[in-house]
Amino acid sequence: MESKKEMRELFCFSNYKSITKFVNNLEKFFLQKKNTYLCSSNSIDMEQIDKTYLNEIKNVDNVNVYFGKTLEELKCVISDDGFREHEIFIKFSGPRKYEITKVNLPHLPYQDEVYNSINEIIDTFRNHVINLSNYFFELEQIDQFFSIMEPLHPTYKDEYRKIALDISSFSNKHHIILSEPVTTMLEKQHCAICLCEELPDNPSVPQPICQNNACGVYYHRSCLYEWLLASAGGRPPAFGVATGSCPTCCHPIACSLLEK
Amino acid sequence: MAAMSPSERRLQKELMALMKEPPAGVTVDGDQASQNLTLWTIHMEGVPGTLYEGEKFVLQFKFTNKYPFDSPEVTFVGNNIPVHPHVYSNGHICLSILTDDWSPALSVQSVCLSIVSMLSSCKEKKRPPDNSFYVKTCSKNPKKTKWWYHGMCSFIFFTINNFSKSITKRN
């Protein structure tokens, strides 16, 4: 505050008779303030920070490091004993402050902490990966031998799989190691309301919600819900279950936004 | 390209399907519709062997951004408005699936088919009995009319409903 006032006085030109006087004052001002502005304890030497940061990146062992859109965003890829590659996204948010922005693994509390160095993050991440090796193996088995209905593009981050139980999954059960993988995935159905398979902001897939066996038309839960709400005059339904009739066969139908 | 809204995505898909496999006697003006997805012009020919054989009609579809949760506004436009007991001389159509019985499982194609079948099942070419009164008093938008559907319309609705079901199954 004080220095602001001084500045205002300094630049008040009516105080000066000549330009030399102003320049002299200006010089005096800077000499006086040099200590406070340039050498105070909280002043930041950007060059020094950049050097430390780059050294830090150079010292990362056995890990491929990629830069993101800016130099402050990093992607590290480590591989485990099963030759699977795992990505972790790191953000440099200040000297000795590194944050994890994204991990393609199920969420754990360590991902929300702030770390001193990249190596510290990598070590924690590597431990997480090692602990999950059984989990990866099981998921791979499931993805290989069953028809996955949900999620549409399964990754290690999704810790659930919705599988279609058809004849092939039962016949595979007893000789799962020997059999060929199920090649014929169930044909994905589009939703009769939006005519799409995928919704941009929703991972769920169309399902045969209508109970009429002769109907068998697929809907997204959210699309059907929106229609039942609209056809009932837009009033939110009791207990979150919208009721009405099937848009295709007029059979009574009920639908909630949540999976049963 | 900007992200499409759900209604635009569905209209785009319908337009593609209708241009690729149009029902007999129905053609969509694809250039106009792809420039403005909310306003379609559809040309329709009278089915051979019916009272409208050799005639040509033009249908206009208007969609809101709530489509398919909101029904399209469908009217006959142009010089030749079919003379039919459910079509008023200003182009408005008395068809229950266009208002009360609309369902998002219906589509432009099924609406066209139901209009074709409505025309084809006609036994005598005449205007609705209340034509002159209605045309003088009605709103510009036929969806604002409270229609009172006769037995004939509900008959058409059921045939179309079965029709659209068989289409969905085939696909």
Side-chain angles (χ1 to χ4, degrees):
Chain A
M1 277 314 279
E2 208 175 274
S3 57
K4 240 185 194 172
K5 202 175 156 200
E6 285 173 49
M7 289 276 256
R8 208 176 298 138
E9 268 172 32
L10 180 72
F11 285 100
C12 187
F13 294 106
S14 55
N15 291 346
Y16 306 110
K17 294 232 167 72
S18 69
I19 193 123
T20 357
K21 187 103 186 274
F22 169 67
V23 174
N24 285 342
N25 266 11
L26 195 64
E27 198 179 356
K28 214 196 283 168
F29 179 80
F30 278 125
L31 281 175
Q32 198 184 328
K33 292 287 170 190
K34 194 179 166 190
N35 291 334
T36 20
Y37 280 119
L38 301 179
C39 302
S40 64
S41 58
N42 59 3
S43 81
I44 296 168
D45 187 341
M46 287 314 289
E47 204 179 326
Q48 192 59 39
I49 292 174
D50 291 345
K51 268 187 194 156
T52 343
Y53 176 52
L54 287 176
N55 273 334
E56 180 88 40
I57 294 172
K58 275 185 208 155
N59 286 335
V60 175
D61 292 328
N62 295 328
V63 176
N64 295 328
V65 183
Y66 304 88
F67 285 109
K69 275 182 190 156
T70 67
L71 290 182
E72 284 161 6
E73 292 163 40
L74 293 177
K75 182 178 87 170
C76 299
V77 180
I78 73 166
S79 29
D80 62 10
D81 355 322
F83 303 105
R84 304 175 195 94
E85 292 199 326
H86 304 281
E87 293 177 345
I88 183 166
F89 294 82
I90 300 171
K91 189 168 184 267
F92 170 75
S93 47
R96 303 188 78 70
K97 266 168 90 182
Y98 297 90
E99 285 168 31
I100 302 177
T101 45
K102 202 177 118 193
V103 177
N104 290 335
L105 292 180
H107 188 269
L108 276 188
Y110 80 87
Q111 293 168 16
D112 302 325
E113 284 168 29
V114 178
Y115 292 85
N116 278 329
S117 71
I118 300 180
N119 273 326
E120 205 180 321
I121 294 187
I122 300 282
D123 287 344
T124 323
F125 183 56
R126 208 189 294 273
N127 279 336
H128 188 198
V129 168
I130 291 170
N131 285 338
L132 287 179
S133 64
N134 278 335
Y135 165 82
F136 297 141
F137 180 73
E138 293 295 337
L139 277 189
E140 270 173 1
Q141 294 287 307
I142 294 171
D143 290 349
Q144 195 178 357
F145 293 109
F146 292 96
S147 311
I148 311 293
M149 300 303 287
E150 253 180 79
L152 266 185
H153 308 291
T155 62
Y156 293 126
K157 196 182 171 77
D158 308 300
E159 66 253 272
Y160 73 100
R161 296 288 188 269
K162 188 182 253 185
I163 60 176
L165 288 180
D166 51 1
I167 299 300
S168 58
S169 32
F170 289 110
S171 55
N172 271 325
K173 199 176 162 191
H174 300 291
H175 41 96
I176 198 159
I177 305 300
L178 297 172
S179 70
E180 290 289 306
V182 179
T183 43
T184 49
M185 287 283 283
L186 287 187
E187 203 184 324
K188 293 245 164 68
Q189 292 275 351
H190 66 72
C191 163
I193 294 177
C194 66
L195 305 183
C196 301
E197 286 169 15
E198 287 178 58
L199 290 171
D201 46 1
N202 194 327
S204 68
V205 294
Q207 294 168 0
I209 300 174
C210 184
Q211 297 288 310
N212 178 5
N213 288 335
C215 176
V217 171
Y218 283 60
Y219 302 108
H220 282 118
R221 240 164 227 291
S222 51
C223 292
L224 182 61
Y225 187 85
E226 197 176 338
W227 164 245
L228 293 178
L229 225 63
S231 59
R235 205 172 334 135
F239 308 113
V241 181
T243 53
S245 51
C246 170
T248 311
C249 71
C250 301
H251 191 269
I253 199 168
C255 167
S256 70
L257 280 179
L258 302 169
E259 300 277 329
K260 269 174 217 153
Chain B
M1 208 173 89
M4 280 184 148
S5 70
S7 73
E8 284 175 323
R9 271 194 304 159
R10 162 148 174 170
L11 284 170
Q12 188 70 53
K13 288 209 164 194
E14 281 198 51
L15 182 61
M16 289 300 156
L18 201 58
M19 282 163 70
K20 214 169 140 196
E21 290 173 39
V26 174
T27 38
V28 60
D29 186 341
D31 291 339
Q32 189 211 356
S34 48
Q35 284 196 353
N36 179 4
L37 274 175
T38 62
L39 186 72
W40 295 22
T41 305
I42 286 176
H43 300 271
M44 193 176 267
E45 285 167 25
V47 181
T50 68
L51 294 179
Y52 301 92
E53 178 169 353
E55 286 190 64
K56 283 184 178 163
F57 310 109
V58 182
L59 274 171
Q60 189 187 59
F61 280 68
K62 277 188 194 168
F63 305 93
T64 64
N65 59 359
K66 291 204 191 80
Y67 183 80
F69 299 109
D70 191 13
S71 62
E73 182 191 322
V74 186
T75 46
F76 279 106
V77 291
N79 305 327
N80 193 19
I81 308 283
V83 180
H84 184 279
H86 291 310
V87 181
Y88 290 88
S89 57
N90 61 354
H92 289 194
I93 308 164
C94 171
L95 187 61
S96 66
I97 58 163
L98 295 178
T99 49
D100 294 4
D101 290 331
W102 168 255
S103 138
L106 294 168
S107 61
V108 175
Q109 189 186 12
S110 54
V111 168
C112 286
L113 286 170
S114 80
I115 291 173
V116 168
S117 96
M118 179 184 89
L119 294 179
S120 304
S121 62
C122 181
K123 300 251 164 51
E124 188 192 357
K125 273 187 170 185
K126 61 173 184 193
R127 292 276 179 221
D130 54 346
N131 183 54
S132 52
F133 178 71
Y134 176 77
V135 171
K136 258 184 259 165
T137 54
C138 72
S139 150
K140 227 176 160 186
N141 182 353
K143 285 175 71 182
K144 295 211 170 111
T145 306
K146 184 70 199 151
W147 296 100
W148 193 48
Y149 298 105
H150 317 212
M152 186 80 171
C153 283
S154 40
F155 166 73
I156 291 167
F157 170 62
F158 279 117
T159 49
I160 288 310
N161 212 13
N162 290 336
F163 206 103
S164 68
K165 216 162 83 184
S166 65
I167 293 169
T168 337
K169 275 211 175 130
R170 202 187 58 213
N171 289 345

